[in-house]
Amino acid sequence: MTRAPFDVAVIGAGVVGAAIARELSRYRLEVALVEAGPDVGAGTSKANTAIWHTGFDATPGTLEAALVRRGHDLLADYAVEAGIPIERVGALLVAWNEDELAALDGIEEKARANGYPAAARLTAEEVYAAEPNLASRALGGLRIPDEGIICPFTTPLAFATQAMVNGAALLLDTQVAGARDEEGVTVLLGPGGREVAARYVVNAAGLNSDVLDRMFGHETFTVTPRRGELIVFDKLARGLVSHVLLPVPTKMGKGVLVAPTVFGNVMLGPTA
C-alpha cells in the first residue's frame, strides 16, 4: 500500500454510489469513490427513463416502498439546492380495456397503503381533458400528481461533486479485479497493479454488484439485467404530452411509457 487506507471505499460512481459517497463525506472520514468507467454516472444511471418516482405502486410494507417514498421527498429539496433540473408534471395511468379499468382500484388502494393518498381516479372525459392527444379508446385513468421527471446526468454529478468538495477522492478507470485482506484492511486490486486500501467497502457496483459480491466470497444474490431501447423524439413533439403516461401494469411488467423530458423532448420506452 502506498498510503494509509481510506476509511471507506465506495465501489461504483452511479447515482447510488455517488449519493453514498456524498453522505459519508459529510463526516470525518477518508472516502474513496471507485469507478470502473471513465466518468461519473456512465453506466445505467445515464440510460434510464429519468422518472422522479413517488413509489405509489411499490409493494406496501417493503423496504423499497419506504425508501422510494423518502427518496422522492429528499430529492425534491436537494434538486433545488444543487440545481438539478426537475419537474413535477404528474403521471396518468391510462386504462384501454375493461380489465385495465378494473385494475385501477387495486393500484389506488396500493398507493394509499404506501402513504400516498393523492392518487385520484379519472373518467375518460377527464383523461382527455388532461391529455387531448391520446388515441380515442381510453376508458379511464388514475392520476398520480406528484410523479415527475429529472435530469439523470446532473444528479450523480451533483452527488459526486459535493463528495469531492468535502474531501472524497474520485478514482476513475479503476475496475476492481480482485481483493485481499491485510490485517483487517481490504486491498482492492485495480488495473496496472493499482491498489486501493480501505477499512470498509461499500458495494454500489450496479449491474456488476453480484460479481463484486462473489469476489468477496459471498453468494447472496444474482443480477439478471434486461436491456431495452428508448426512443427520443424531437423537441417539436414536446407539446403533445403533458404528463408521464403509464400503462396499467401486467404480470409481464410495467410496460412502455411515454414521458416528457427536462430537455424538452418526448421519450418512449423501454422495449424491455
Side-chain angles (χ1 to χ4, degrees):
M1 293 182 291
T2 59
R3 51 151 288 163
F6 290 97
D7 293 305
V8 186
V10 181
I11 303 178
V15 66
V16 173
I20 292 171
R22 171 190 175 271
E23 186 68 19
L24 292 173
S25 71
R26 299 171 60 200
Y27 301 91
R28 297 178 64 180
L29 299 170
E30 292 288 328
V31 179
L33 182 56
V34 182
E35 169 57 39
D39 202 355
V40 170
T44 305
S45 294
K46 76 175 189 317
N48 56 66
T49 50
I51 302 301
W52 176 33
H53 190 30
T54 59
F56 74 94
D57 57 352
T59 301
T62 62
L63 182 62
E64 177 192 14
L67 293 183
V68 173
R69 181 66 192 277
R70 182 166 182 259
H72 179 273
D73 296 339
L74 290 173
L75 194 53
D77 296 330
Y78 182 68
V80 175
E81 171 194 327
I84 298 170
I86 191 170
E87 295 181 46
R88 196 187 300 261
V89 296
L92 293 182
L93 278 79
V94 181
W96 298 98
N97 57 49
E98 293 294 341
D99 289 340
E100 292 179 352
L101 189 64
L104 293 179
D105 287 336
I107 298 172
E108 185 178 9
E109 290 176 8
K110 182 182 287 187
R112 296 184 187 283
N114 280 321
Y116 186 76
R121 286 292 297 271
L122 301 180
T123 64
E125 291 75 15
E126 290 170 328
V127 168
Y128 286 110
E131 289 290 349
N133 293 307
L134 283 174
S136 60
R137 305 183 311 277
L139 301 181
L142 184 69
R143 188 198 299 272
I144 312 296
D146 296 299
E147 293 281 300
I149 53 178
I150 192 168
C151 175
F153 315 120
T154 311
T155 307
L157 285 172
F159 288 142
T161 298
Q162 288 191 340
M164 293 174 67
V165 168
N166 290 341
L170 175 61
L171 309 177
L172 300 174
D173 296 310
T174 307
Q175 182 169 358
V176 177
R180 69 173 186 270
D181 181 78
E182 290 188 2
E183 298 179 353
V185 173
T186 299
V187 179
L188 304 174
L189 310 178
R194 189 175 189 181
E195 296 183 345
V196 180
R199 302 186 190 282
Y200 295 91
V201 175
V202 177
N203 180 0
L207 294 182
N208 293 311
S209 56
D210 57 341
V211 176
L212 196 67
D213 188 59
R214 287 190 284 273
M215 199 177 292
F216 282 82
H218 306 296
E219 292 281 350
T220 54
F221 64 94
T222 299
V223 175
T224 305
R226 297 171 65 196
R227 176 176 291 177
E229 294 181 345
L230 293 165
I231 299 174
V232 180
F233 289 91
D234 188 274
K235 293 182 179 180
L236 292 173
R238 179 62 174 85
L240 297 175
V241 179
S242 300
H243 300 77
V244 177
L245 299 178
L246 303 170
V248 177
T250 69
K251 63 181 180 180
M252 298 300 294
K254 293 187 177 182
V256 174
L257 61 82
V258 180
T261 74
V262 295
F263 310 107
N265 301 91
V266 171
M267 183 167 57
L268 169 68
T271 54

